[in-house]
Amino acid sequence: MSTSPVILLLSGSLRACSSNEAVLRTACAVAPDARVDAVLYDGLAELPHFNPDDDTDPLPTPVAALRAAIDRAAGILICTPEYAGTLPGAFKNLLDWTVGGTEISDKPVAWVNAAAPGRGGGAEATLRLVLGYTGADIVESACVRIPVDRGMLGADGLIADAGARRQLGEALGLLAASGEGAGATGQRGEGDSDR
């Protein structure tokens, strides 16, 4: 079993081969150099529409899996597009499901803004607002802007730019260090969730 801290990667995009997915898949590729285990969450499309009446035990299975993944992680790295000046509805739905749990409370969280220069500010502002409600610990030094265009991607669909890869590795390392400082290990078992 690995003793490296787990960083959960959350994409706000449902689109196949999105820039946001490319950023997070690249984060997975550089994670070993940052001495972390990066886990890409892939359940966004399966989450039911948030309904407070359903935010009780037993939770819907996809929601329980999301909260367990958050609970196991030492930190969270988000990459989301901006849609109509804010977060895409599916990703806001994911965040809504975290409000009723305690798993994200005090969890180190950061984001990568992959939008073109001058764009993405609405998504960042909404992330900051919603994460404040959840009690997440925003690690400002790990929040980075890496504008991604198709020319930056290699044949493998990953970001080839060395500077961007270095920034992602640094963000992962900062999240891991923040998680260790808070006592998170990312080594809890499947059945150790509070839910």
Side-chain angles (χ1 to χ4, degrees):
M1 176 189 279
S2 172
T3 58
S4 299
V6 173
I7 304 298
L8 182 65
L9 309 178
L10 299 178
S11 173
S13 179
L14 289 170
R15 187 167 61 88
C17 302
S18 72
S19 297
N20 303 279
E21 286 280 336
V23 166
L24 295 180
R25 285 188 287 107
T26 304
C28 284
V30 303
D33 291 337
R35 294 189 173 97
V36 303
D37 287 333
V39 176
L40 183 58
Y41 173 75
D42 64 358
L44 182 62
E46 282 73 46
L47 289 171
H49 295 295
F50 176 71
N51 180 342
D53 290 340
D54 296 332
D55 195 2
T56 59
D57 287 323
L59 288 168
T61 300
V63 176
L66 168 67
R67 289 188 179 174
I70 291 171
D71 192 46
R72 284 190 301 272
I76 299 170
L77 184 64
I78 296 168
C79 191
T80 181
E82 180 176 280
Y83 187 74
T86 188
L87 296 173
F91 192 66
K92 175 60 167 61
N93 184 59
L94 179 152
L95 293 175
D96 286 345
W97 278 114
T98 70
V99 173
T102 60
E103 297 82 7
I104 202 169
S105 181
D106 297 321
K107 186 80 61 175
V109 179
W111 56 79
V112 178
N113 184 338
R119 303 192 63 184
E124 283 192 37
T126 307
L127 266 177
R128 187 176 299 283
L129 179 67
V130 176
L131 290 171
Y133 277 99
T134 67
D137 176 20
I138 298 172
V139 181
E140 299 290 347
S141 58
C143 295
V144 295
R145 175 176 283 275
I146 304 174
V148 176
D149 62 52
R150 292 293 166 200
M152 292 176 67
L153 304 181
D156 56 2
L158 302 180
I159 297 172
D161 181 79
R165 293 171 74 94
R166 186 191 74 252
Q167 281 183 283
L168 287 171
E170 289 171 355
L172 292 170
L174 287 165
L175 281 170
S178 294
E180 289 169 359
T185 64
Q187 297 304 307
R188 296 171 71 169
E190 288 286 334
D192 291 342
S193 172
D194 292 334
R195 287 243 167 218

